[in-house]
Amino acid sequence: MERLELTVDGMQCDGCVASVQNALTGRDGVTVATARLHDGLVTVEFDPAAIDRVGIETTIEDAGFEVVPG
């Protein structure tokens, strides 16, 4: 398992947090996804054999949010 922390723009309520978390945990290879509203930080634990950083970022963007480069 690997762990990735991303800053995500556009989360403005608890519903947004739930949307990000649900989108990520619905993907094969993602075991844990935690989004924090107050700082926009999303932490993802995943199996790199099943999903990579690009797949995780695409999932977040497809849910309607923006991953901040960095």
Side-chain angles (χ1 to χ4, degrees):
M1 288 294 149
E2 289 190 19
R3 182 181 172 150
L4 178 63
E5 291 187 340
L6 301 167
T7 301
V8 175
D9 257 352
M11 294 189 299
Q12 298 180 2
C13 65
D14 290 336
C16 296
V17 168
S19 292
V20 170
Q21 291 176 164
N22 290 338
L24 288 167
T25 57
R27 292 293 308 267
D28 288 340
V30 175
T31 56
V32 177
T34 305
R36 297 191 320 221
L37 182 60
H38 69 278
D39 61 4
L41 190 66
V42 176
T43 304
V44 184
E45 293 182 23
F46 64 100
D47 177 358
I51 191 168
D52 61 6
R53 181 185 183 110
V54 172
I56 291 168
E57 290 182 358
T58 299
T59 299
I60 293 168
E61 291 167 357
D62 288 348
F65 302 93
E66 180 182 347
V67 177
V68 178

